[in-house]
Short mmCIF file of all heavy atoms in Angstrom, two decimals:
data_model
loop_
_atom_site.label_atom_id
_atom_site.label_comp_id
_atom_site.label_asym_id
_atom_site.label_seq_id
_atom_site.Cartn_x
_atom_site.Cartn_y
_atom_site.Cartn_z
N GLN U 1 114.07 36.65 129.35
CA GLN U 1 112.76 36.37 129.92
C GLN U 1 112.20 35.05 129.41
O GLN U 1 112.36 34.70 128.26
CB GLN U 1 111.77 37.49 129.60
CG GLN U 1 111.86 38.71 130.47
CD GLN U 1 110.57 39.54 130.45
OE1 GLN U 1 109.91 39.61 129.45
NE2 GLN U 1 110.24 40.09 131.59
N VAL U 2 111.57 34.33 130.33
CA VAL U 2 111.00 33.04 130.02
C VAL U 2 109.53 33.02 130.43
O VAL U 2 109.15 33.63 131.43
CB VAL U 2 111.73 31.90 130.72
CG1 VAL U 2 110.88 30.65 130.83
CG2 VAL U 2 113.03 31.58 130.02
N LYS U 3 108.70 32.36 129.63
CA LYS U 3 107.31 32.12 130.00
C LYS U 3 107.13 30.62 130.12
O LYS U 3 107.57 29.85 129.26
CB LYS U 3 106.34 32.67 128.97
CG LYS U 3 104.88 32.37 129.31
CD LYS U 3 103.93 32.93 128.26
CE LYS U 3 102.47 32.62 128.64
NZ LYS U 3 101.49 33.15 127.64
N MET U 4 106.50 30.18 131.25
CA MET U 4 106.17 28.77 131.36
C MET U 4 104.75 28.62 131.87
O MET U 4 104.24 29.44 132.66
CB MET U 4 107.17 28.01 132.26
CG MET U 4 107.29 28.51 133.67
SD MET U 4 108.57 27.51 134.52
CE MET U 4 108.42 28.11 136.21
N VAL U 5 104.09 27.59 131.39
CA VAL U 5 102.73 27.25 131.76
C VAL U 5 102.73 25.82 132.29
O VAL U 5 103.06 24.90 131.58
CB VAL U 5 101.74 27.36 130.56
CG1 VAL U 5 100.35 26.98 131.00
CG2 VAL U 5 101.78 28.77 129.98
N LEU U 6 102.41 25.65 133.56
CA LEU U 6 102.36 24.33 134.19
C LEU U 6 100.95 24.14 134.79
O LEU U 6 100.48 24.98 135.52
CB LEU U 6 103.40 24.22 135.32
CG LEU U 6 104.85 24.54 134.96
CD1 LEU U 6 105.75 24.34 136.18
CD2 LEU U 6 105.34 23.69 133.79
N GLY U 7 100.35 23.03 134.44
CA GLY U 7 98.97 22.75 134.89
C GLY U 7 98.88 21.63 135.88
O GLY U 7 97.83 20.94 135.95
N SER U 8 99.91 21.39 136.66
CA SER U 8 99.92 20.28 137.61
C SER U 8 98.90 20.49 138.74
O SER U 8 98.49 21.64 139.01
CB SER U 8 101.33 20.09 138.20
OG SER U 8 101.78 21.33 138.70
N SER U 9 98.54 19.40 139.41
CA SER U 9 97.62 19.51 140.53
C SER U 9 97.95 18.46 141.56
O SER U 9 98.44 17.36 141.24
CB SER U 9 96.17 19.35 140.07
OG SER U 9 95.96 18.12 139.38
N GLU U 10 97.68 18.75 142.81
CA GLU U 10 97.91 17.84 143.94
C GLU U 10 96.53 17.43 144.46
O GLU U 10 95.80 18.23 145.04
CB GLU U 10 98.70 18.53 145.06
CG GLU U 10 99.18 17.61 146.13
CD GLU U 10 100.45 16.86 145.74
OE1 GLU U 10 101.37 17.49 145.19
OE2 GLU U 10 100.52 15.63 145.98
N LEU U 11 96.18 16.18 144.22
CA LEU U 11 94.87 15.64 144.67
C LEU U 11 95.04 15.07 146.07
O LEU U 11 96.14 14.85 146.54
CB LEU U 11 94.40 14.58 143.67
CG LEU U 11 94.25 15.04 142.24
CD1 LEU U 11 93.77 13.90 141.34
CD2 LEU U 11 93.32 16.27 142.10
N PRO U 12 93.92 14.78 146.75
CA PRO U 12 94.05 14.15 148.09
C PRO U 12 94.81 12.83 147.99
O PRO U 12 94.77 12.13 146.96
CB PRO U 12 92.57 13.91 148.46
CG PRO U 12 91.79 14.92 147.68
CD PRO U 12 92.52 15.08 146.38
N ASP U 13 95.52 12.51 149.05
CA ASP U 13 96.25 11.23 149.10
C ASP U 13 95.32 10.07 148.72
O ASP U 13 94.15 10.06 149.06
CB ASP U 13 96.81 11.01 150.51
CG ASP U 13 98.03 11.89 150.78
OD1 ASP U 13 98.46 12.61 149.87
OD2 ASP U 13 98.49 11.87 151.94
N ALA U 14 95.93 9.10 148.04
CA ALA U 14 95.15 7.98 147.50
C ALA U 14 95.47 6.69 148.28
O ALA U 14 96.56 6.55 148.85
CB ALA U 14 95.47 7.77 146.03
N ASP U 15 94.54 5.75 148.30
CA ASP U 15 94.76 4.45 148.84
C ASP U 15 95.49 3.59 147.83
O ASP U 15 95.08 3.49 146.66
CB ASP U 15 93.42 3.80 149.21
CG ASP U 15 92.74 4.50 150.36
OD1 ASP U 15 93.40 4.93 151.30
OD2 ASP U 15 91.48 4.61 150.30
N SER U 16 96.57 2.97 148.24
CA SER U 16 97.31 2.07 147.35
C SER U 16 97.86 0.91 148.19
O SER U 16 97.45 0.72 149.33
CB SER U 16 98.43 2.84 146.63
OG SER U 16 99.03 2.05 145.64
N HIS U 17 98.81 0.19 147.60
CA HIS U 17 99.29 -1.03 148.27
C HIS U 17 100.73 -1.34 147.93
O HIS U 17 101.17 -1.11 146.78
CB HIS U 17 98.45 -2.25 147.89
CG HIS U 17 96.99 -2.13 148.24
ND1 HIS U 17 96.10 -1.53 147.40
CD2 HIS U 17 96.34 -2.55 149.35
CE1 HIS U 17 94.91 -1.57 147.97
NE2 HIS U 17 95.03 -2.16 149.14
N ASN U 18 101.47 -1.87 148.88
CA ASN U 18 102.65 -2.67 148.59
C ASN U 18 102.21 -4.08 148.26
O ASN U 18 101.16 -4.55 148.77
CB ASN U 18 103.59 -2.74 149.81
CG ASN U 18 104.27 -1.42 150.14
OD1 ASN U 18 104.47 -0.60 149.26
ND2 ASN U 18 104.64 -1.26 151.38
N VAL U 19 102.96 -4.77 147.43
CA VAL U 19 102.68 -6.19 147.16
C VAL U 19 103.77 -7.01 147.83
O VAL U 19 104.96 -6.76 147.63
CB VAL U 19 102.65 -6.47 145.65
CG1 VAL U 19 102.36 -7.96 145.40
CG2 VAL U 19 101.62 -5.61 144.97
N VAL U 20 103.36 -7.98 148.62
CA VAL U 20 104.31 -8.79 149.39
C VAL U 20 104.08 -10.24 149.02
O VAL U 20 102.96 -10.71 148.88
CB VAL U 20 104.10 -8.60 150.91
CG1 VAL U 20 105.15 -9.37 151.71
CG2 VAL U 20 104.12 -7.11 151.28
N ALA U 21 105.18 -10.95 148.83
CA ALA U 21 105.12 -12.39 148.49
C ALA U 21 106.16 -13.13 149.34
O ALA U 21 107.13 -12.54 149.82
CB ALA U 21 105.35 -12.61 147.03
N GLU U 22 105.97 -14.43 149.49
CA GLU U 22 106.83 -15.13 150.45
C GLU U 22 107.01 -16.60 150.08
O GLU U 22 106.06 -17.27 149.66
CB GLU U 22 106.23 -15.01 151.83
CG GLU U 22 107.18 -15.31 152.97
CD GLU U 22 106.57 -14.92 154.33
OE1 GLU U 22 105.82 -15.73 154.90
OE2 GLU U 22 106.82 -13.79 154.75
N ILE U 23 108.22 -17.08 150.26
CA ILE U 23 108.56 -18.51 150.20
C ILE U 23 109.03 -18.91 151.58
O ILE U 23 110.07 -18.47 152.06
CB ILE U 23 109.64 -18.79 149.15
CG1 ILE U 23 109.20 -18.28 147.76
CG2 ILE U 23 110.00 -20.28 149.13
CD1 ILE U 23 110.35 -18.15 146.80
N ARG U 24 108.28 -19.69 152.26
CA ARG U 24 108.55 -20.02 153.67
C ARG U 24 109.77 -20.91 153.79
O ARG U 24 109.91 -21.89 153.07
CB ARG U 24 107.33 -20.67 154.32
CG ARG U 24 107.46 -20.89 155.79
CD ARG U 24 106.12 -21.38 156.39
NE ARG U 24 106.26 -21.73 157.81
CZ ARG U 24 106.27 -20.85 158.80
NH1 ARG U 24 106.09 -19.56 158.54
NH2 ARG U 24 106.37 -21.25 160.06
N GLY U 25 110.68 -20.55 154.70
CA GLY U 25 111.89 -21.33 154.93
C GLY U 25 111.61 -22.68 155.55
O GLY U 25 110.65 -22.85 156.31
N ARG U 26 112.45 -23.64 155.28
CA ARG U 26 112.21 -25.01 155.74
C ARG U 26 112.70 -25.24 157.18
O ARG U 26 112.14 -26.08 157.88
CB ARG U 26 112.85 -26.04 154.82
CG ARG U 26 114.35 -26.10 154.86
CD ARG U 26 114.93 -27.18 153.96
NE ARG U 26 116.35 -27.34 154.20
CZ ARG U 26 117.32 -26.60 153.66
NH1 ARG U 26 116.98 -25.63 152.81
NH2 ARG U 26 118.59 -26.82 153.95
N GLU U 27 113.75 -24.53 157.60
CA GLU U 27 114.30 -24.76 158.95
C GLU U 27 114.15 -23.56 159.86
O GLU U 27 113.88 -23.73 161.07
CB GLU U 27 115.79 -25.09 158.82
CG GLU U 27 116.09 -26.46 158.23
CD GLU U 27 117.58 -26.73 158.18
OE1 GLU U 27 118.36 -25.91 158.74
OE2 GLU U 27 117.98 -27.76 157.61
N LYS U 28 114.31 -22.39 159.33
CA LYS U 28 114.25 -21.15 160.15
C LYS U 28 113.29 -20.16 159.51
O LYS U 28 113.67 -19.07 159.07
CB LYS U 28 115.64 -20.54 160.28
CG LYS U 28 116.65 -21.46 160.95
CD LYS U 28 118.02 -20.81 161.03
CE LYS U 28 119.04 -21.73 161.74
NZ LYS U 28 120.37 -21.10 161.87
N PRO U 29 112.02 -20.53 159.43
CA PRO U 29 111.07 -19.66 158.72
C PRO U 29 110.89 -18.30 159.37
O PRO U 29 110.44 -17.35 158.71
CB PRO U 29 109.76 -20.47 158.78
CG PRO U 29 109.92 -21.38 159.91
CD PRO U 29 111.34 -21.73 159.99
N GLN U 30 111.26 -18.19 160.65
CA GLN U 30 111.12 -16.90 161.32
C GLN U 30 112.17 -15.91 160.88
O GLN U 30 112.02 -14.71 161.07
CB GLN U 30 111.17 -17.10 162.85
CG GLN U 30 112.53 -17.39 163.43
CD GLN U 30 112.98 -18.84 163.20
OE1 GLN U 30 112.27 -19.63 162.63
NE2 GLN U 30 114.15 -19.18 163.77
N GLU U 31 113.26 -16.37 160.28
CA GLU U 31 114.33 -15.50 159.78
C GLU U 31 114.02 -15.14 158.34
O GLU U 31 113.72 -16.00 157.51
CB GLU U 31 115.70 -16.17 159.90
CG GLU U 31 116.09 -16.42 161.35
CD GLU U 31 117.51 -16.94 161.47
OE1 GLU U 31 118.16 -17.16 160.42
OE2 GLU U 31 117.97 -17.18 162.60
N ILE U 32 114.10 -13.86 158.00
CA ILE U 32 113.60 -13.36 156.74
C ILE U 32 114.73 -12.71 155.91
O ILE U 32 115.49 -11.88 156.42
CB ILE U 32 112.50 -12.31 156.96
CG1 ILE U 32 111.27 -12.97 157.63
CG2 ILE U 32 112.07 -11.64 155.66
CD1 ILE U 32 110.27 -12.00 158.19
N VAL U 33 114.87 -13.15 154.67
CA VAL U 33 115.70 -12.52 153.67
C VAL U 33 114.73 -11.73 152.75
O VAL U 33 113.93 -12.33 152.05
CB VAL U 33 116.53 -13.51 152.88
CG1 VAL U 33 117.26 -12.83 151.76
CG2 VAL U 33 117.50 -14.24 153.80
N LEU U 34 114.84 -10.43 152.78
CA LEU U 34 113.93 -9.58 152.02
C LEU U 34 114.60 -9.15 150.72
O LEU U 34 115.74 -8.67 150.68
CB LEU U 34 113.56 -8.35 152.87
CG LEU U 34 112.54 -7.37 152.27
CD1 LEU U 34 111.74 -6.73 153.40
CD2 LEU U 34 113.22 -6.29 151.44
#
């Protein structure tokens, strides 16, 4: 027999962000290497 106590909680979804940065190409800036 095992006893476990877990107090986790699921809060409402949060607002966050991806961070995007860019070095614009000199000849074919419309083509993207991610």
Side-chain angles (χ1 to χ4, degrees):
Q1 277 203 325
V2 159
K3 178 180 179 179
M4 60 182 187
V5 179
L6 306 181
S8 52
S9 57
E10 191 81 44
L11 303 180
D13 286 355
D15 293 322
S16 189
H17 300 86
N18 290 334
V19 180
V20 184
E22 197 169 86
I23 302 163
R24 187 172 174 80
R26 71 177 190 276
E27 290 182 6
K28 300 179 178 182
Q30 74 282 1
E31 294 185 0
I32 296 166
V33 174
L34 184 149

